[in-house]
Amino acid sequence: MSFLPRPARQFAPILILASSFCVTHPLHAAAGADAYTPEALKALEQRASEAKPREQCFLYTELVHVMTEKAGKEINDGDTEQAAATLKQIDKYAHLIHLNLARDTKRLKNAEMLMHNATYRLGQYLHLVSGDDQVVVKDTLKQLNQVNDELLTQVFAH
């Protein structure tokens, strides 16, 4: 027995499929296995730096998301020096997001969702490191949380 009216029931599978694609597609596209190659990261960085000001916020957020996944992989692999370097790059991109946020109203919700995912994942990675490495991860997480709050504020303002 279904709680949907009869006409809506026939479209329910389509709506479920469409909504799941909308939610997961940007995240999977940004975090694909090929996204970690130096060439792919450089191309994404170049695309973000050359983009129109209205698009830079989202593209830098996408870059933060991919770099966060890369840092997590490096942490899992025990490569803490490379992970620290990746986290420094994330800090740089987070600062660029902050600078471009006032000029960018395009895809704010998508940017906020990616940033939320990145902060969540980085919070998980925090438990995998210890000592000095944990300080670096905490500092990066603090900055990403601030940027996420700013993005969320902008989403509600528009």
Short mmCIF file of all heavy atoms in Angstrom, two decimals, residues 33-59:
data_model
loop_
_atom_site.label_atom_id
_atom_site.label_comp_id
_atom_site.label_asym_id
_atom_site.label_seq_id
_atom_site.Cartn_x
_atom_site.Cartn_y
_atom_site.Cartn_z
N ALA A 33 38.57 8.82 -9.41
CA ALA A 33 39.96 8.38 -9.24
C ALA A 33 40.93 9.22 -10.06
O ALA A 33 42.05 9.48 -9.64
CB ALA A 33 40.08 6.91 -9.63
N ASP A 34 40.51 9.67 -11.24
CA ASP A 34 41.37 10.48 -12.09
C ASP A 34 41.54 11.89 -11.57
O ASP A 34 42.40 12.63 -12.02
CB ASP A 34 40.82 10.53 -13.52
CG ASP A 34 40.85 9.17 -14.19
OD1 ASP A 34 41.65 8.32 -13.75
OD2 ASP A 34 40.08 8.97 -15.14
N ALA A 35 40.71 12.31 -10.62
CA ALA A 35 40.76 13.68 -10.10
C ALA A 35 42.02 13.94 -9.29
O ALA A 35 42.38 15.07 -9.06
CB ALA A 35 39.53 13.96 -9.25
N TYR A 36 42.71 12.89 -8.82
CA TYR A 36 43.89 13.06 -7.99
C TYR A 36 45.18 13.20 -8.78
O TYR A 36 46.21 13.49 -8.19
CB TYR A 36 44.04 11.89 -7.01
CG TYR A 36 42.86 11.65 -6.12
CD1 TYR A 36 42.43 10.37 -5.85
CD2 TYR A 36 42.15 12.70 -5.55
CE1 TYR A 36 41.35 10.14 -5.02
CE2 TYR A 36 41.07 12.47 -4.73
CZ TYR A 36 40.68 11.20 -4.48
OH TYR A 36 39.60 10.97 -3.66
N THR A 37 45.15 12.98 -10.07
CA THR A 37 46.38 13.09 -10.84
C THR A 37 46.84 14.54 -10.84
O THR A 37 46.02 15.47 -10.86
CB THR A 37 46.20 12.61 -12.29
OG1 THR A 37 45.29 13.49 -12.96
CG2 THR A 37 45.68 11.17 -12.33
N PRO A 38 48.15 14.76 -10.83
CA PRO A 38 48.65 16.14 -10.85
C PRO A 38 48.13 16.94 -12.05
O PRO A 38 47.83 18.12 -11.91
CB PRO A 38 50.17 15.96 -10.92
CG PRO A 38 50.43 14.61 -10.36
CD PRO A 38 49.24 13.78 -10.72
N GLU A 39 47.98 16.28 -13.18
CA GLU A 39 47.49 16.97 -14.37
C GLU A 39 46.04 17.42 -14.19
O GLU A 39 45.68 18.53 -14.55
CB GLU A 39 47.61 16.08 -15.62
CG GLU A 39 49.02 15.68 -15.98
CD GLU A 39 49.55 14.48 -15.18
OE1 GLU A 39 48.74 13.72 -14.60
OE2 GLU A 39 50.78 14.35 -15.12
N ALA A 40 45.22 16.53 -13.64
CA ALA A 40 43.80 16.87 -13.43
C ALA A 40 43.65 17.98 -12.40
O ALA A 40 42.84 18.90 -12.58
CB ALA A 40 43.03 15.63 -12.99
N LEU A 41 44.45 17.93 -11.35
CA LEU A 41 44.38 18.98 -10.32
C LEU A 41 44.85 20.32 -10.89
O LEU A 41 44.24 21.35 -10.61
CB LEU A 41 45.23 18.59 -9.11
CG LEU A 41 44.71 17.42 -8.30
CD1 LEU A 41 45.72 17.00 -7.24
CD2 LEU A 41 43.38 17.76 -7.66
N LYS A 42 45.91 20.29 -11.66
CA LYS A 42 46.41 21.52 -12.28
C LYS A 42 45.38 22.09 -13.25
O LYS A 42 45.17 23.31 -13.29
CB LYS A 42 47.74 21.23 -13.01
CG LYS A 42 48.48 22.46 -13.41
CD LYS A 42 48.99 23.19 -12.19
CE LYS A 42 49.87 24.33 -12.60
NZ LYS A 42 50.11 25.24 -11.50
N ALA A 43 44.72 21.22 -14.02
CA ALA A 43 43.71 21.68 -14.96
C ALA A 43 42.52 22.31 -14.23
O ALA A 43 42.01 23.36 -14.64
CB ALA A 43 43.23 20.52 -15.84
N LEU A 44 42.11 21.70 -13.12
CA LEU A 44 41.00 22.25 -12.35
C LEU A 44 41.39 23.59 -11.72
O LEU A 44 40.60 24.54 -11.71
CB LEU A 44 40.56 21.26 -11.27
CG LEU A 44 39.35 21.64 -10.43
CD1 LEU A 44 38.13 21.95 -11.30
CD2 LEU A 44 39.02 20.52 -9.46
N GLU A 45 42.61 23.67 -11.23
CA GLU A 45 43.09 24.92 -10.65
C GLU A 45 43.14 26.02 -11.71
O GLU A 45 42.72 27.16 -11.47
CB GLU A 45 44.48 24.73 -10.04
CG GLU A 45 45.02 25.99 -9.40
CD GLU A 45 46.39 25.78 -8.78
OE1 GLU A 45 47.08 24.81 -9.11
OE2 GLU A 45 46.77 26.62 -7.94
N GLN A 46 43.63 25.68 -12.89
CA GLN A 46 43.71 26.67 -13.97
C GLN A 46 42.31 27.10 -14.40
O GLN A 46 42.06 28.28 -14.62
CB GLN A 46 44.47 26.09 -15.16
CG GLN A 46 44.66 27.09 -16.27
CD GLN A 46 45.56 26.56 -17.37
OE1 GLN A 46 46.04 25.43 -17.31
NE2 GLN A 46 45.78 27.36 -18.38
N ARG A 47 41.40 26.13 -14.51
CA ARG A 47 40.02 26.45 -14.88
C ARG A 47 39.39 27.40 -13.86
O ARG A 47 38.70 28.35 -14.22
CB ARG A 47 39.22 25.15 -14.96
CG ARG A 47 37.90 25.30 -15.68
CD ARG A 47 37.29 23.93 -15.92
NE ARG A 47 36.00 23.93 -15.26
CZ ARG A 47 35.45 22.93 -14.63
NH1 ARG A 47 36.07 21.78 -14.55
NH2 ARG A 47 34.27 23.03 -14.08
N ALA A 48 39.66 27.17 -12.57
CA ALA A 48 39.12 28.04 -11.52
C ALA A 48 39.73 29.44 -11.58
O ALA A 48 39.01 30.43 -11.47
CB ALA A 48 39.36 27.41 -10.15
N SER A 49 41.03 29.51 -11.77
CA SER A 49 41.68 30.83 -11.78
C SER A 49 41.30 31.66 -13.00
O SER A 49 41.29 32.88 -12.94
CB SER A 49 43.20 30.68 -11.68
OG SER A 49 43.72 30.09 -12.85
N GLU A 50 40.97 30.99 -14.11
CA GLU A 50 40.62 31.70 -15.34
C GLU A 50 39.11 31.89 -15.52
O GLU A 50 38.68 32.54 -16.46
CB GLU A 50 41.18 30.96 -16.55
CG GLU A 50 42.69 30.94 -16.59
CD GLU A 50 43.24 30.06 -17.70
OE1 GLU A 50 42.44 29.39 -18.40
OE2 GLU A 50 44.47 30.03 -17.86
N ALA A 51 38.33 31.36 -14.60
CA ALA A 51 36.88 31.43 -14.72
C ALA A 51 36.39 32.85 -14.47
O ALA A 51 37.08 33.69 -13.89
CB ALA A 51 36.22 30.47 -13.73
N LYS A 52 35.15 33.08 -14.89
CA LYS A 52 34.50 34.35 -14.60
C LYS A 52 34.36 34.47 -13.09
O LYS A 52 34.19 33.46 -12.39
CB LYS A 52 33.12 34.41 -15.25
CG LYS A 52 33.18 34.41 -16.76
CD LYS A 52 31.78 34.40 -17.33
CE LYS A 52 31.86 34.30 -18.85
NZ LYS A 52 30.54 34.20 -19.46
N PRO A 53 34.41 35.70 -12.57
CA PRO A 53 34.31 35.87 -11.12
C PRO A 53 33.08 35.21 -10.50
O PRO A 53 33.17 34.70 -9.38
CB PRO A 53 34.23 37.40 -10.95
CG PRO A 53 34.94 37.94 -12.14
CD PRO A 53 34.64 36.97 -13.26
N ARG A 54 31.97 35.15 -11.21
CA ARG A 54 30.76 34.53 -10.65
C ARG A 54 30.89 33.03 -10.51
O ARG A 54 30.13 32.41 -9.78
CB ARG A 54 29.56 34.84 -11.54
CG ARG A 54 29.11 36.28 -11.44
CD ARG A 54 27.79 36.47 -12.08
NE ARG A 54 26.81 35.62 -11.41
CZ ARG A 54 25.65 35.29 -11.91
NH1 ARG A 54 25.29 35.75 -13.06
NH2 ARG A 54 24.82 34.52 -11.25
N GLU A 55 31.83 32.41 -11.23
CA GLU A 55 31.96 30.95 -11.20
C GLU A 55 33.13 30.47 -10.33
O GLU A 55 33.23 29.29 -10.04
CB GLU A 55 32.14 30.43 -12.63
CG GLU A 55 30.94 30.72 -13.50
CD GLU A 55 31.17 30.37 -14.97
OE1 GLU A 55 32.33 30.09 -15.34
OE2 GLU A 55 30.20 30.39 -15.71
N GLN A 56 34.00 31.39 -9.94
CA GLN A 56 35.21 30.98 -9.22
C GLN A 56 34.93 30.34 -7.87
O GLN A 56 35.60 29.39 -7.50
CB GLN A 56 36.15 32.17 -9.06
CG GLN A 56 36.87 32.52 -10.34
CD GLN A 56 37.85 33.65 -10.15
OE1 GLN A 56 37.62 34.55 -9.37
NE2 GLN A 56 38.94 33.59 -10.90
N CYS A 57 33.96 30.85 -7.16
CA CYS A 57 33.66 30.30 -5.83
C CYS A 57 33.34 28.81 -5.92
O CYS A 57 33.91 28.00 -5.18
CB CYS A 57 32.50 31.06 -5.21
SG CYS A 57 32.02 30.46 -3.59
N PHE A 58 32.46 28.44 -6.84
CA PHE A 58 32.11 27.03 -6.98
C PHE A 58 33.31 26.20 -7.42
O PHE A 58 33.55 25.13 -6.87
CB PHE A 58 30.96 26.84 -7.98
CG PHE A 58 30.67 25.39 -8.22
CD1 PHE A 58 29.95 24.66 -7.30
CD2 PHE A 58 31.14 24.75 -9.36
CE1 PHE A 58 29.70 23.30 -7.50
CE2 PHE A 58 30.89 23.41 -9.57
CZ PHE A 58 30.17 22.69 -8.64
N LEU A 59 34.07 26.69 -8.38
CA LEU A 59 35.20 25.92 -8.88
C LEU A 59 36.28 25.73 -7.82
O LEU A 59 36.88 24.66 -7.70
CB LEU A 59 35.77 26.57 -10.15
CG LEU A 59 34.84 26.52 -11.36
CD1 LEU A 59 35.41 27.35 -12.50
CD2 LEU A 59 34.58 25.09 -11.80
#
